PDB file of all heavy atoms in Angstrom:
ATOM      1  N   PRO A 293      -6.965   1.331  -6.792  1.00  0.00           N
ATOM      2  CA  PRO A 293      -7.198   0.507  -7.991  1.00  0.00           C
ATOM      3  C   PRO A 293      -6.077   0.613  -9.022  1.00  0.00           C
ATOM      4  O   PRO A 293      -5.801  -0.352  -9.744  1.00  0.00           O
ATOM      5  CB  PRO A 293      -8.529   1.059  -8.541  1.00  0.00           C
ATOM      6  CG  PRO A 293      -9.205   1.681  -7.363  1.00  0.00           C
ATOM      7  CD  PRO A 293      -8.088   2.280  -6.573  1.00  0.00           C
ATOM      8  N   ILE A 294      -5.418   1.771  -9.100  1.00  0.00           N
ATOM      9  CA  ILE A 294      -4.292   1.929 -10.028  1.00  0.00           C
ATOM     10  C   ILE A 294      -3.166   0.981  -9.629  1.00  0.00           C
ATOM     11  O   ILE A 294      -2.627   0.231 -10.460  1.00  0.00           O
ATOM     12  CB  ILE A 294      -3.786   3.397 -10.039  1.00  0.00           C
ATOM     13  CG1 ILE A 294      -4.853   4.313 -10.636  1.00  0.00           C
ATOM     14  CG2 ILE A 294      -2.460   3.510 -10.811  1.00  0.00           C
ATOM     15  CD1 ILE A 294      -4.483   5.800 -10.581  1.00  0.00           C
ATOM     16  N   ARG A 295      -2.810   1.015  -8.358  1.00  0.00           N
ATOM     17  CA  ARG A 295      -1.723   0.148  -7.876  1.00  0.00           C
ATOM     18  C   ARG A 295      -2.099  -1.324  -8.046  1.00  0.00           C
ATOM     19  O   ARG A 295      -1.270  -2.151  -8.461  1.00  0.00           O
ATOM     20  CB  ARG A 295      -1.423   0.465  -6.409  1.00  0.00           C
ATOM     21  CG  ARG A 295      -0.930   1.887  -6.177  1.00  0.00           C
ATOM     22  CD  ARG A 295      -0.492   2.107  -4.728  1.00  0.00           C
ATOM     23  NE  ARG A 295      -0.034   3.481  -4.539  1.00  0.00           N
ATOM     24  CZ  ARG A 295      -0.727   4.442  -3.945  1.00  0.00           C
ATOM     25  NH1 ARG A 295      -1.918   4.180  -3.423  1.00  0.00           N
ATOM     26  NH2 ARG A 295      -0.244   5.657  -3.833  1.00  0.00           N
ATOM     27  N   PHE A 296      -3.332  -1.642  -7.737  1.00  0.00           N
ATOM     28  CA  PHE A 296      -3.774  -3.033  -7.784  1.00  0.00           C
ATOM     29  C   PHE A 296      -3.744  -3.580  -9.209  1.00  0.00           C
ATOM     30  O   PHE A 296      -3.284  -4.707  -9.443  1.00  0.00           O
ATOM     31  CB  PHE A 296      -5.183  -3.140  -7.196  1.00  0.00           C
ATOM     32  CG  PHE A 296      -5.754  -4.525  -7.250  1.00  0.00           C
ATOM     33  CD1 PHE A 296      -5.077  -5.595  -6.684  1.00  0.00           C
ATOM     34  CD2 PHE A 296      -6.968  -4.777  -7.883  1.00  0.00           C
ATOM     35  CE1 PHE A 296      -5.594  -6.884  -6.726  1.00  0.00           C
ATOM     36  CE2 PHE A 296      -7.491  -6.044  -7.938  1.00  0.00           C
ATOM     37  CZ  PHE A 296      -6.806  -7.103  -7.359  1.00  0.00           C
ATOM     38  N   LEU A 297      -4.219  -2.807 -10.179  1.00  0.00           N
ATOM     39  CA  LEU A 297      -4.231  -3.294 -11.567  1.00  0.00           C
ATOM     40  C   LEU A 297      -2.823  -3.427 -12.142  1.00  0.00           C
ATOM     41  O   LEU A 297      -2.594  -4.206 -13.060  1.00  0.00           O
ATOM     42  CB  LEU A 297      -5.069  -2.371 -12.451  1.00  0.00           C
ATOM     43  CG  LEU A 297      -6.584  -2.420 -12.238  1.00  0.00           C
ATOM     44  CD1 LEU A 297      -7.287  -1.413 -13.135  1.00  0.00           C
ATOM     45  CD2 LEU A 297      -7.127  -3.831 -12.485  1.00  0.00           C
ATOM     46  N   ALA A 298      -1.873  -2.671 -11.606  1.00  0.00           N
ATOM     47  CA  ALA A 298      -0.485  -2.787 -12.058  1.00  0.00           C
ATOM     48  C   ALA A 298       0.219  -3.958 -11.389  1.00  0.00           C
ATOM     49  O   ALA A 298       0.843  -4.790 -12.059  1.00  0.00           O
ATOM     50  CB  ALA A 298       0.268  -1.491 -11.779  1.00  0.00           C
ATOM     51  N   PHE A 299       0.114  -4.046 -10.066  1.00  0.00           N
ATOM     52  CA  PHE A 299       0.887  -5.030  -9.298  1.00  0.00           C
ATOM     53  C   PHE A 299       0.157  -6.355  -9.074  1.00  0.00           C
ATOM     54  O   PHE A 299       0.801  -7.379  -8.845  1.00  0.00           O
ATOM     55  CB  PHE A 299       1.258  -4.456  -7.931  1.00  0.00           C
ATOM     56  CG  PHE A 299       2.316  -3.390  -7.949  1.00  0.00           C
ATOM     57  CD1 PHE A 299       1.983  -2.053  -8.083  1.00  0.00           C
ATOM     58  CD2 PHE A 299       3.659  -3.717  -7.821  1.00  0.00           C
ATOM     59  CE1 PHE A 299       2.950  -1.060  -8.096  1.00  0.00           C
ATOM     60  CE2 PHE A 299       4.639  -2.742  -7.828  1.00  0.00           C
ATOM     61  CZ  PHE A 299       4.291  -1.404  -7.970  1.00  0.00           C
ATOM     62  N   GLY A 300      -1.176  -6.328  -9.043  1.00  0.00           N
ATOM     63  CA  GLY A 300      -1.921  -7.521  -8.644  1.00  0.00           C
ATOM     64  C   GLY A 300      -2.076  -7.608  -7.136  1.00  0.00           C
ATOM     65  O   GLY A 300      -2.594  -8.598  -6.609  1.00  0.00           O
ATOM     66  N   HIS A 301      -1.619  -6.580  -6.435  1.00  0.00           N
ATOM     67  CA  HIS A 301      -1.754  -6.456  -4.988  1.00  0.00           C
ATOM     68  C   HIS A 301      -1.604  -4.975  -4.643  1.00  0.00           C
ATOM     69  O   HIS A 301      -1.343  -4.164  -5.535  1.00  0.00           O
ATOM     70  CB  HIS A 301      -0.704  -7.295  -4.259  1.00  0.00           C
ATOM     71  CG  HIS A 301       0.709  -6.955  -4.646  1.00  0.00           C
ATOM     72  ND1 HIS A 301       1.482  -7.776  -5.444  1.00  0.00           N
ATOM     73  CD2 HIS A 301       1.486  -5.869  -4.384  1.00  0.00           C
ATOM     74  CE1 HIS A 301       2.669  -7.207  -5.640  1.00  0.00           C
ATOM     75  NE2 HIS A 301       2.692  -6.047  -5.005  1.00  0.00           N
ATOM     76  N   ILE A 302      -1.740  -4.632  -3.370  1.00  0.00           N
ATOM     77  CA  ILE A 302      -1.520  -3.248  -2.938  1.00  0.00           C
ATOM     78  C   ILE A 302      -0.122  -3.182  -2.326  1.00  0.00           C
ATOM     79  O   ILE A 302       0.113  -3.755  -1.260  1.00  0.00           O
ATOM     80  CB  ILE A 302      -2.560  -2.790  -1.884  1.00  0.00           C
ATOM     81  CG1 ILE A 302      -3.989  -3.140  -2.325  1.00  0.00           C
ATOM     82  CG2 ILE A 302      -2.398  -1.299  -1.611  1.00  0.00           C
ATOM     83  CD1 ILE A 302      -4.473  -2.431  -3.548  1.00  0.00           C
ATOM     84  N   PRO A 303       0.843  -2.532  -2.975  1.00  0.00           N
ATOM     85  CA  PRO A 303       2.226  -2.549  -2.464  1.00  0.00           C
ATOM     86  C   PRO A 303       2.384  -1.693  -1.210  1.00  0.00           C
ATOM     87  O   PRO A 303       1.773  -0.640  -1.072  1.00  0.00           O
ATOM     88  CB  PRO A 303       3.028  -1.959  -3.635  1.00  0.00           C
ATOM     89  CG  PRO A 303       2.052  -1.095  -4.371  1.00  0.00           C
ATOM     90  CD  PRO A 303       0.711  -1.765  -4.231  1.00  0.00           C
ATOM     91  N   GLU A 304       3.202  -2.183  -0.294  1.00  0.00           N
ATOM     92  CA  GLU A 304       3.528  -1.404   0.904  1.00  0.00           C
ATOM     93  C   GLU A 304       4.242  -0.119   0.499  1.00  0.00           C
ATOM     94  O   GLU A 304       4.953  -0.100  -0.504  1.00  0.00           O
ATOM     95  CB  GLU A 304       4.437  -2.222   1.830  1.00  0.00           C
ATOM     96  CG  GLU A 304       3.755  -3.436   2.409  1.00  0.00           C
ATOM     97  CD  GLU A 304       4.636  -4.155   3.438  1.00  0.00           C
ATOM     98  OE1 GLU A 304       5.760  -3.684   3.727  1.00  0.00           O
ATOM     99  OE2 GLU A 304       4.200  -5.180   3.959  1.00  0.00           O
ATOM    100  N   PRO A 305       4.066   0.958   1.265  1.00  0.00           N
ATOM    101  CA  PRO A 305       3.345   1.040   2.542  1.00  0.00           C
ATOM    102  C   PRO A 305       1.868   1.349   2.384  1.00  0.00           C
ATOM    103  O   PRO A 305       1.185   1.572   3.383  1.00  0.00           O
ATOM    104  CB  PRO A 305       4.052   2.217   3.224  1.00  0.00           C
ATOM    105  CG  PRO A 305       4.380   3.146   2.100  1.00  0.00           C
ATOM    106  CD  PRO A 305       4.748   2.246   0.937  1.00  0.00           C
ATOM    107  N   TYR A 306       1.348   1.327   1.149  1.00  0.00           N
ATOM    108  CA  TYR A 306      -0.023   1.755   0.916  1.00  0.00           C
ATOM    109  C   TYR A 306      -1.024   0.671   1.287  1.00  0.00           C
ATOM    110  O   TYR A 306      -0.698  -0.524   1.349  1.00  0.00           O
ATOM    111  CB  TYR A 306      -0.210   2.165  -0.547  1.00  0.00           C
ATOM    112  CG  TYR A 306       0.769   3.217  -0.985  1.00  0.00           C
ATOM    113  CD1 TYR A 306       1.853   2.892  -1.797  1.00  0.00           C
ATOM    114  CD2 TYR A 306       0.633   4.536  -0.563  1.00  0.00           C
ATOM    115  CE1 TYR A 306       2.773   3.850  -2.192  1.00  0.00           C
ATOM    116  CE2 TYR A 306       1.548   5.506  -0.954  1.00  0.00           C
ATOM    117  CZ  TYR A 306       2.621   5.148  -1.755  1.00  0.00           C
ATOM    118  OH  TYR A 306       3.531   6.103  -2.125  1.00  0.00           O
ATOM    119  N   THR A 307      -2.265   1.098   1.496  1.00  0.00           N
ATOM    120  CA  THR A 307      -3.381   0.189   1.724  1.00  0.00           C
ATOM    121  C   THR A 307      -4.555   0.706   0.877  1.00  0.00           C
ATOM    122  O   THR A 307      -4.401   1.643   0.104  1.00  0.00           O
ATOM    123  CB  THR A 307      -3.787   0.151   3.208  1.00  0.00           C
ATOM    124  OG1 THR A 307      -4.341   1.434   3.581  1.00  0.00           O
ATOM    125  CG2 THR A 307      -2.594  -0.164   4.106  1.00  0.00           C
ATOM    126  N   THR A 308      -5.707   0.116   1.072  1.00  0.00           N
ATOM    127  CA  THR A 308      -6.893   0.594   0.364  1.00  0.00           C
ATOM    128  C   THR A 308      -7.510   1.806   1.060  1.00  0.00           C
ATOM    129  O   THR A 308      -8.443   2.410   0.521  1.00  0.00           O
ATOM    130  CB  THR A 308      -7.951  -0.514   0.272  1.00  0.00           C
ATOM    131  OG1 THR A 308      -8.166  -1.046   1.582  1.00  0.00           O
ATOM    132  CG2 THR A 308      -7.518  -1.613  -0.668  1.00  0.00           C
ATOM    133  N   LEU A 309      -7.018   2.157   2.245  1.00  0.00           N
ATOM    134  CA  LEU A 309      -7.602   3.242   3.027  1.00  0.00           C
ATOM    135  C   LEU A 309      -6.674   4.447   3.112  1.00  0.00           C
ATOM    136  O   LEU A 309      -5.447   4.288   3.196  1.00  0.00           O
ATOM    137  CB  LEU A 309      -7.924   2.767   4.448  1.00  0.00           C
ATOM    138  CG  LEU A 309      -8.949   1.640   4.566  1.00  0.00           C
ATOM    139  CD1 LEU A 309      -9.072   1.193   6.016  1.00  0.00           C
ATOM    140  CD2 LEU A 309     -10.304   2.080   4.023  1.00  0.00           C
ATOM    141  N   GLN A 310      -7.251   5.629   3.123  1.00  0.00           N
ATOM    142  CA  GLN A 310      -6.470   6.844   3.304  1.00  0.00           C
ATOM    143  C   GLN A 310      -5.904   6.896   4.720  1.00  0.00           C
ATOM    144  O   GLN A 310      -6.602   6.569   5.679  1.00  0.00           O
ATOM    145  CB  GLN A 310      -7.346   8.080   3.057  1.00  0.00           C
ATOM    146  CG  GLN A 310      -7.701   8.307   1.610  1.00  0.00           C
ATOM    147  CD  GLN A 310      -8.449   9.614   1.397  1.00  0.00           C
ATOM    148  OE1 GLN A 310      -8.482  10.472   2.258  1.00  0.00           O
ATOM    149  NE2 GLN A 310      -9.064   9.760   0.231  1.00  0.00           N
ATOM    150  N   GLN A 311      -4.638   7.308   4.820  1.00  0.00           N
ATOM    151  CA  GLN A 311      -3.937   7.519   6.098  1.00  0.00           C
ATOM    152  C   GLN A 311      -3.672   6.249   6.886  1.00  0.00           C
ATOM    153  O   GLN A 311      -3.264   6.310   8.044  1.00  0.00           O
ATOM    154  CB  GLN A 311      -4.702   8.518   6.980  1.00  0.00           C
ATOM    155  CG  GLN A 311      -4.747   9.930   6.393  1.00  0.00           C
ATOM    156  CD  GLN A 311      -5.362  10.919   7.359  1.00  0.00           C
ATOM    157  OE1 GLN A 311      -6.575  10.969   7.533  1.00  0.00           O
ATOM    158  NE2 GLN A 311      -4.529  11.706   8.010  1.00  0.00           N
ATOM    159  N   ILE A 312      -3.888   5.080   6.271  1.00  0.00           N
ATOM    160  CA  ILE A 312      -3.521   3.806   6.908  1.00  0.00           C
ATOM    161  C   ILE A 312      -2.326   3.254   6.144  1.00  0.00           C
ATOM    162  O   ILE A 312      -2.409   3.029   4.937  1.00  0.00           O
ATOM    163  CB  ILE A 312      -4.670   2.787   6.882  1.00  0.00           C
ATOM    164  CG1 ILE A 312      -5.928   3.364   7.533  1.00  0.00           C
ATOM    165  CG2 ILE A 312      -4.243   1.500   7.569  1.00  0.00           C
ATOM    166  CD1 ILE A 312      -5.857   3.559   9.018  1.00  0.00           C
ATOM    167  N   TYR A 313      -1.224   3.020   6.866  1.00  0.00           N
ATOM    168  CA  TYR A 313       0.016   2.584   6.218  1.00  0.00           C
ATOM    169  C   TYR A 313       0.575   1.330   6.887  1.00  0.00           C
ATOM    170  O   TYR A 313       0.315   1.066   8.067  1.00  0.00           O
ATOM    171  CB  TYR A 313       1.067   3.704   6.275  1.00  0.00           C
ATOM    172  CG  TYR A 313       0.625   4.957   5.580  1.00  0.00           C
ATOM    173  CD1 TYR A 313       0.165   6.050   6.316  1.00  0.00           C
ATOM    174  CD2 TYR A 313       0.633   5.059   4.193  1.00  0.00           C
ATOM    175  CE1 TYR A 313      -0.266   7.210   5.684  1.00  0.00           C
ATOM    176  CE2 TYR A 313       0.206   6.216   3.554  1.00  0.00           C
ATOM    177  CZ  TYR A 313      -0.244   7.284   4.303  1.00  0.00           C
ATOM    178  OH  TYR A 313      -0.674   8.423   3.672  1.00  0.00           O
ATOM    179  N   SER A 314       1.364   0.619   6.127  1.00  0.00           N
ATOM    180  CA  SER A 314       2.060  -0.553   6.653  1.00  0.00           C
ATOM    181  C   SER A 314       3.405  -0.119   7.232  1.00  0.00           C
ATOM    182  O   SER A 314       4.157   0.621   6.595  1.00  0.00           O
ATOM    183  CB  SER A 314       2.281  -1.561   5.519  1.00  0.00           C
ATOM    184  OG  SER A 314       3.009  -2.667   5.976  1.00  0.00           O
ATOM    185  N   LEU A 315       3.705  -0.566   8.439  1.00  0.00           N
ATOM    186  CA  LEU A 315       5.010  -0.283   9.035  1.00  0.00           C
ATOM    187  C   LEU A 315       6.067  -1.077   8.271  1.00  0.00           C
ATOM    188  O   LEU A 315       5.894  -2.275   8.045  1.00  0.00           O
ATOM    189  CB  LEU A 315       5.019  -0.685  10.510  1.00  0.00           C
ATOM    190  CG  LEU A 315       6.305  -0.400  11.288  1.00  0.00           C
ATOM    191  CD1 LEU A 315       6.533   1.100  11.425  1.00  0.00           C
ATOM    192  CD2 LEU A 315       6.261  -1.054  12.669  1.00  0.00           C
ATOM    193  N   PRO A 316       7.174  -0.449   7.848  1.00  0.00           N
ATOM    194  CA  PRO A 316       8.197  -1.203   7.101  1.00  0.00           C
ATOM    195  C   PRO A 316       8.797  -2.334   7.945  1.00  0.00           C
ATOM    196  O   PRO A 316       8.914  -2.215   9.157  1.00  0.00           O
ATOM    197  CB  PRO A 316       9.263  -0.141   6.799  1.00  0.00           C
ATOM    198  CG  PRO A 316       8.589   1.172   6.970  1.00  0.00           C
ATOM    199  CD  PRO A 316       7.537   0.970   8.015  1.00  0.00           C
ATOM    200  N   LYS A 317       9.166  -3.407   7.281  1.00  0.00           N
ATOM    201  CA  LYS A 317       9.808  -4.523   7.985  1.00  0.00           C
ATOM    202  C   LYS A 317      11.141  -4.057   8.575  1.00  0.00           C
ATOM    203  O   LYS A 317      11.803  -3.146   8.043  1.00  0.00           O
ATOM    204  CB  LYS A 317      10.038  -5.686   7.024  1.00  0.00           C
ATOM    205  CG  LYS A 317      10.953  -5.368   5.845  1.00  0.00           C
ATOM    206  CD  LYS A 317      11.047  -6.558   4.918  1.00  0.00           C
ATOM    207  CE  LYS A 317      11.953  -6.255   3.718  1.00  0.00           C
ATOM    208  NZ  LYS A 317      12.042  -7.392   2.798  1.00  0.00           N
ATOM    209  N   GLY A 318      11.528  -4.665   9.680  1.00  0.00           N
ATOM    210  CA  GLY A 318      12.799  -4.319  10.323  1.00  0.00           C
ATOM    211  C   GLY A 318      12.837  -2.916  10.901  1.00  0.00           C
ATOM    212  O   GLY A 318      13.902  -2.357  11.111  1.00  0.00           O
ATOM    213  N   HIS A 319      11.662  -2.345  11.174  1.00  0.00           N
ATOM    214  CA  HIS A 319      11.563  -0.985  11.726  1.00  0.00           C
ATOM    215  C   HIS A 319      10.682  -0.980  12.970  1.00  0.00           C
ATOM    216  O   HIS A 319       9.870  -1.879  13.177  1.00  0.00           O
ATOM    217  CB  HIS A 319      10.950  -0.025  10.700  1.00  0.00           C
ATOM    218  CG  HIS A 319      11.880   0.385   9.613  1.00  0.00           C
ATOM    219  ND1 HIS A 319      12.339  -0.502   8.657  1.00  0.00           N
ATOM    220  CD2 HIS A 319      12.451   1.595   9.312  1.00  0.00           C
ATOM    221  CE1 HIS A 319      13.147   0.141   7.813  1.00  0.00           C
ATOM    222  NE2 HIS A 319      13.220   1.409   8.189  1.00  0.00           N
TER     223      HIS A 319
END
């Protein structure tokens, strides 16, 4: 919720779930 209220979205690599991450682009 901290990230969401600042950005208006959940910035990579984070998600709403613990230990679930977004793989970086070009990797």
Side-chain angles (χ1 to χ4, degrees):
I294 293 175
R295 297 187 180 103
F296 178 56
L297 289 178
F299 288 90
H301 57 253
I302 312 295
E304 294 186 2
Y306 305 105
T307 67
T308 51
L309 298 175
Q310 288 186 14
Q311 294 187 283
I312 304 290
Y313 300 102
S314 177
L315 182 67
K317 61 183 179 181
H319 284 68

